[in-house]
Amino acid sequence: MSNAKKRLSLTIDADLDQIITERAKQIGIPKSALVTFATSLFLNQLRAEEVLSGDTNAIYQVIRKDYELLTSVDNLDK
């Protein structure tokens, strides 16, 4: 990975933000560092799953369905 830094704006559920805040305080690191580490860990696990299963599309379908479900619920609130 490159050492260059990029800023990313995220909108997350308040409950998830509370969990991240509590864990970051518990560990003694900034929330951004925890989110960066968790994202990197997730992407490495995703890559390993793709290699092991040979099916690079299955997990992406799960992610896509979850996203579609969340956005459809959000649209109901509007």
Side-chain angles (χ1 to χ4, degrees):
M1 250 197 275
S2 170
N3 288 334
K5 304 286 185 207
K6 298 287 183 177
R7 184 171 298 272
L8 177 66
S9 176
L10 298 172
T11 302
I12 60 173
D13 183 76
D15 292 337
L16 179 58
D17 181 61
Q18 183 63 35
I19 292 168
I20 293 169
T21 300
E22 290 171 4
R23 293 295 176 146
K25 284 181 183 177
Q26 179 184 22
I27 299 167
I29 61 174
K31 285 175 24 175
S32 60
L34 180 58
V35 171
T36 298
F37 175 80
T39 302
S40 179
L41 179 65
F42 171 76
L43 292 174
N44 286 333
Q45 290 295 103
L46 183 61
R47 193 173 310 120
E49 178 65 28
E50 291 171 347
V51 170
L52 289 174
S53 72
D55 185 2
T56 59
N57 204 20
I59 191 69
Y60 293 120
Q61 288 179 2
V62 171
I63 293 168
R64 196 173 301 114
K65 289 292 182 189
D66 184 65
Y67 172 75
E68 290 169 357
L69 177 64
L70 289 174
T71 57
S72 67
V73 170
D74 286 344
N75 289 335
L76 292 176
D77 291 340
K78 294 180 183 177

